[in-house]
Amino acid sequence: MKRRSNYNRSGILTFLLAFVVTAIFVPIGEIGGEGIMLKTGNYLHSPAPNGGNSPDWKESGVISAADGVLFDGTPAYAGWMGSATSHPTVNVVIDLLKDYPLSQIRIVLNSPNKYWGFKDITVKYRPESATGYYIATRHVRTGTDLNYSVTVPMSNMSARFIVLNIRRTQAYQHIPLTEVEIYRGSGVEGQNPSPSLIQEDLQAELKKEALLADKFGQWMNETWPGKVATETQMRTEYANEAAALANIALDATKYDQYGGIKSLGKQASTGYFRLQAINGKWWFITPDGYPFIVKGVDATSLWESGYKTPILKPDGTLKQIFEALPDRTAYAPAYTRDAGGEYVSFVVANVMKKYGSDFESKWEDITKKRLIQWGFNTFSKWTKPKSVTFPYIQSLQDPSTLRRILWTYDVFDPQSGPIIENALKAQLLNTRYSKWLIGYTYDNEAGWTTDIVKEVLTYSASSPAKSAFVDFLAQKYNGSLASVNQVLGTNAASFEALKDIPVDIAKVPAADVSGYIRLASGTYHSMIRDIIKKYDPNHLFLGTSIVPTWRTSLDWDHAAMNYVDVFSVDSYSRDGSWISRYEGYGKPLLNLEHSFGSSERGLSYISLATVTTSIRERGLAYQAFAESQAAHPLFVGSGWYSYYDQPVTGRPDGESYNVGLVNQQDQPYTEMVNIMRTTHAGLENVHLNGLTSP
């Protein structure tokens, strides 16, 4: 959830003056021995603070440590106010003017209230002789204390330059930076340093990279049990896991071939997945006629594009963030290129190293056995393995040639139907007789809100959506142009002329905005349903994976219910309370994206709503979430996003989340998946009988 709040700067300063900051300062030129706090050099903010105190406030140039708020030992601070357009990361680069051995760095980030804070902070350093940076720490904020500090041991590492990268949890969060305390360690100071850096040079420091990933794609700056050290270790892990899973298969005494639960009784069999309410509870029914709940995994393909990471800088040179990249000849399948650049998938390279010859076939065998053992039964969204037979949901994508409106497209454009039909026809014909296909989703997270209507109202008559809006009002007001002009505050000579006139959404009655959105939703969902059913009458239309309360509205969602077989969402939340938004419609519900993550091993969590602190806690959070959803009569399944973690060096859009059942070195998060296994075994019982009190 995003929140906006305005604050009086003088009020913030008054609040912060209540904080007591104690420190020992030494004047410039009197740097002495170990443990002395350095107050020397210059620093630069990027972007310039738009909150806080002078001289840092709004200063984009070089600030002297002797004058700035970060080294002054008082509650004065630099601040970055959050907004819809705020930078996700703020940066500070410090030039100590020469190399110093450092014992520790302490960073104080005191907040006046809960709207201030940060998600994580990365501290980097480099001595003058180094061309790139080293990472001292990546600290993830914990707790809710307003007074917050981070202490970074430096172990007498030598550094002239220090960079702080501070990230927001969400765009509207305000970031404070109260103090930076740098303590001298033991050792020799640098001799004959180069001159202090000017503004352009300090800006250039922020573009210099730090080593992040080792040759297996693992975070270099942390150790943990089982961290891959050699290819021999990987091959041994494969041999051990293959032996442990040798006899894993679906238990035919409990399940039909699709995973339907035999003990729940046989229903009518149609040869394809369908839906049925049994004693007031909705279920999928397998082609063989048994009740089934989707327990899915998203993005399960070895070749999933979200598992790759860019390897080139914008200028086309190689990024200096990798200890070593996989050999381009031996691991050629791990490399891809497109108009955006060149990429490597450590997932592919590691699977090749681990499984050896015929790696994909061996990997598919292990993957299917893992999922069966862990109690998963569906490839639920995005990509899937090429040759694994398993129930699946197919994600149909909207063509890029559609007429766009912000994050979605013009559903009233008469060309939309033919474009979509042409794009989907072959896919639908190819899968129409598949007994393993549950159904289709189309597009992703792209409903209509008042923001879409506001945008449409600025358009001219060349916009089909704008014309549809005027036609809608003409019908609503019984063809009375005078009534429509009066409502909109316009003076159009005709309805055709009105289509060319910008309209202020504030003048449009809320009921008319709602009615127009419902018209758009009905137009959209009926079109997609009809295209699917035209070429594939055998499978279900599972909706468009809406995110509740983001880029959609209840008007849009409500109007969809008449055309979808299942209404699907992507809900990254703690429990099944999202269902209450839709339970009045009585439509079966799927949650096709959710997960829990922690900030370990160089990765991060997706949102505060789903943050955990350990692998075990990820499993426990899943158990509570899955059971909370399953207890609802409308619930028919969900999908965990995703099979693998994202890369620590970021996927093409920069995301670097701990979301996997398996890390990028193909090691399962055993403590978590064991909890999932137990959870899945009892999920149908929860759906039948609800949650029992502890």
Side-chain angles (χ1 to χ4, degrees):
M1 178 179 294
K2 299 179 180 179
R3 296 186 178 181
R4 182 194 300 273
S5 186
N6 296 317
Y7 300 94
N8 180 278
R9 289 177 55 237
S10 62
I12 295 172
L13 180 57
T14 300
F15 182 93
L16 287 175
L17 286 173
F19 296 153
V20 178
V21 180
T22 58
I24 301 172
F25 289 93
V26 179
I28 296 175
E30 298 183 14
I31 304 303
E34 183 177 2
I36 297 297
M37 189 189 303
L38 302 178
K39 186 181 178 183
T40 183
N42 305 309
Y43 63 91
L44 176 141
H45 301 292
S46 180
N50 56 359
N53 306 110
S54 296
D56 295 50
W57 181 51
K58 294 188 176 180
E59 178 55 64
S60 59
V62 177
I63 302 169
S64 168
D67 302 324
V69 300
L70 301 188
F71 291 81
D72 64 357
T74 77
Y77 72 104
W80 292 265
M81 308 301 287
S83 70
T85 58
S86 61
H87 293 265
T89 304
V90 300
N91 310 283
V92 181
V93 56
I94 301 166
D95 180 2
L96 297 176
L97 303 184
K98 65 178 178 180
D99 285 343
Y100 287 96
L102 304 182
S103 62
Q104 70 176 33
I105 301 170
R106 180 171 178 265
I107 304 154
V108 181
L109 306 102
N110 289 334
S111 300
N113 56 51
K114 66 180 181 179
Y115 298 107
W116 290 72
F118 67 100
K119 181 177 183 179
D120 56 52
I121 180 169
T122 300
V123 181
K124 302 185 289 190
Y125 69 96
R126 79 170 182 92
E128 188 172 311
S129 61
T131 57
Y133 277 81
Y134 303 98
I135 293 180
T137 192
R138 180 169 170 271
H139 173 87
V140 179
R141 181 177 178 132
T142 58
T144 58
D145 289 346
L146 297 178
N147 293 357
Y148 202 93
S149 65
V150 179
T151 299
V152 185
M154 292 299 293
S155 304
N156 292 316
M157 293 296 182
S158 181
R160 171 172 172 172
F161 301 101
I162 297 167
V163 170
L164 313 179
N165 306 130
I166 311 171
R167 293 200 299 172
R168 289 182 163 89
T169 301
Q170 42 85 9
Y172 290 91
Q173 185 178 47
H174 313 310
I175 295 177
L177 182 55
T178 312
E179 208 71 23
V180 180
E181 301 171 2
I182 303 170
Y183 292 87
R184 191 192 191 285
S186 61
V188 179
E189 298 175 2
Q191 303 297 311
N192 303 314
S194 60
S196 59
L197 300 190
I198 61 174
Q199 178 177 342
E200 291 77 11
D201 295 330
L202 286 176
Q203 289 282 5
E205 287 296 308
L206 295 175
K207 298 179 181 179
K208 292 182 178 178
E209 296 171 311
L211 286 173
L212 302 179
D214 67 12
K215 63 182 180 179
F216 299 106
Q218 298 169 118
W219 182 244
M220 292 184 63
N221 303 284
E222 187 180 343
T223 59
W224 56 85
K227 186 175 185 180
V228 174
T230 65
E231 292 183 25
T232 299
Q233 176 189 341
M234 300 175 80
R235 291 190 289 271
T236 299
E237 289 175 352
Y238 167 49
N240 292 340
E241 188 175 16
L245 296 177
N247 297 319
I248 292 296
L250 205 60
D251 186 344
T253 64
K254 295 181 179 180
Y255 308 100
D256 71 12
Q257 61 179 323
Y258 304 98
I261 309 297
K262 290 184 175 180
S263 64
L264 296 180
K266 186 172 175 57
Q267 308 298 318
S269 172
T270 64
Y272 298 98
F273 278 90
R274 62 181 184 85
L275 290 153
Q276 182 177 331
I278 304 173
N279 297 324
K281 308 290 178 72
W282 279 100
W283 301 83
F284 285 109
I285 303 298
T286 67
D288 286 349
Y290 292 98
F292 177 95
I293 290 177
V294 166
K295 305 169 192 175
V297 184
D298 300 336
T300 324
S301 171
L302 178 61
W303 311 101
E304 164 65 37
S305 62
Y307 299 145
K308 67 186 181 183
T309 189
I311 62 174
L312 300 180
K313 300 177 188 178
D315 64 4
T317 60
L318 193 66
K319 289 186 174 185
Q320 301 301 308
I321 60 176
F322 306 102
E323 177 188 44
L325 289 171
D327 182 271
R328 287 178 176 271
T329 301
Y331 304 103
Y335 287 89
T336 55
R337 179 185 287 273
D338 61 24
E342 189 173 2
Y343 313 90
V344 68
S345 170
F346 280 100
V347 167
V348 172
N350 288 330
V351 164
M352 294 178 71
K353 293 173 183 178
K354 182 173 183 175
Y355 295 91
S357 60
D358 197 21
F359 66 90
E360 188 168 5
S361 176
K362 294 174 183 175
W363 172 84
E364 286 185 338
D365 178 64
I366 285 288
T367 296
K368 182 173 183 178
K369 288 177 177 178
R370 283 173 176 170
L371 295 181
I372 291 172
Q373 184 186 52
W374 301 341
F376 290 99
N377 62 13
T378 304
F379 297 132
S380 49
K381 197 175 178 185
W382 306 127
T383 55
K384 64 184 182 68
K386 296 175 182 177
S387 304
V388 176
T389 302
F390 221 51
Y392 70 100
I393 292 169
Q394 182 136 326
S395 300
L396 302 171
Q397 292 300 101
D398 56 321
S400 61
T401 52
L402 295 168
R403 184 191 293 256
R404 307 303 299 182
I405 304 174
L406 299 180
W407 59 79
T408 183
Y409 61 86
D410 189 339
V411 301
F412 296 104
D413 184 351
Q415 294 304 311
S416 292
I419 291 172
I420 295 169
E421 183 173 350
N422 185 60
L424 302 186
K425 177 180 177 180
Q427 296 177 68
L428 296 169
L429 290 174
N430 187 55
T431 53
R432 67 184 298 178
Y433 297 119
S434 171
K435 294 183 177 297
W436 295 92
L437 173 62
I438 297 173
Y440 304 97
T441 62
Y442 174 78
D443 202 356
N444 191 60
E445 301 179 353
W448 276 38
T449 67
T450 55
D451 288 333
I452 296 293
V453 180
K454 182 179 180 181
E455 177 74 10
V456 168
L457 297 186
T458 67
Y459 294 165
S460 68
S462 63
S463 163
K466 178 66 174 294
S467 293
F469 173 78
V470 173
D471 293 341
F472 165 73
L473 289 186
Q475 182 177 12
K476 170 78 179 293
Y477 290 90
N478 300 313
S480 173
L481 179 62
S483 296
V484 174
N485 273 328
Q486 183 178 11
V487 166
L488 300 182
T490 53
N491 191 30
S494 66
F495 283 117
E496 287 304 309
L498 182 57
K499 294 176 181 180
D500 259 329
I501 298 174
V503 175
D504 181 358
I505 193 172
K507 301 288 182 65
V508 184
D512 291 342
V513 173
S514 295
Y516 177 58
I517 291 175
R518 288 196 297 271
L519 173 65
S521 179
T523 302
Y524 169 85
H525 287 95
S526 63
M527 174 174 60
I528 303 305
R529 179 205 59 186
D530 291 348
I531 291 171
I532 290 175
K533 298 303 181 184
K534 178 178 179 180
Y535 295 102
D536 182 357
N538 300 319
H539 295 104
L540 301 167
F541 178 25
L542 305 177
T544 58
S545 296
I546 288 298
V547 178
T549 73
W550 182 73
R551 288 187 173 179
T552 193
S553 58
L554 275 176
D555 290 314
W556 178 268
D557 299 346
H558 182 188
M561 298 294 176
N562 291 329
Y563 305 102
V564 299
D565 297 303
V566 174
F567 189 80
S568 63
V569 305
D570 293 347
S571 180
Y572 290 85
S573 53
R574 281 282 175 180
D575 56 42
S577 59
W578 63 268
I579 295 176
S580 63
R581 180 178 172 91
Y582 305 111
E583 61 187 355
Y585 304 121
K587 184 69 67 172
L589 299 171
L590 274 172
N591 183 4
L592 291 180
E593 277 193 34
H594 66 85
S595 62
F596 298 93
S598 61
S599 290
E600 300 175 286
R601 308 181 183 184
L603 298 167
S604 186
Y605 56 89
I606 289 180
S607 66
L608 283 174
T610 58
V611 62
T612 59
T613 59
S614 67
I615 295 169
R616 173 175 169 77
E617 189 185 339
R618 292 178 72 203
L620 293 173
Y622 174 79
Q623 180 178 28
F625 181 71
E627 291 177 348
S628 176
Q629 293 184 123
H632 200 283
L634 297 178
F635 176 80
V636 290
S638 62
W640 173 276
Y641 184 83
S642 56
Y643 186 65
Y644 282 112
D645 283 331
Q646 294 174 342
V648 298
T649 47
R651 69 179 192 177
D653 65 359
E655 286 187 7
S656 182
Y657 293 140
N658 168 221
V659 290
L661 303 173
V662 182
N663 65 26
Q664 288 221 332
Q665 294 68 50
D666 199 57
Q667 297 171 308
Y669 287 109
T670 304
E671 196 171 13
M672 178 179 72
V673 297
N674 283 342
I675 295 171
M676 290 175 157
R677 177 183 181 180
T678 301
T679 301
H680 289 151
L683 217 54
E684 287 83 9
N685 188 58
V686 172
H687 192 51
L688 280 170
N689 303 308
L691 288 169
T692 57
S693 300

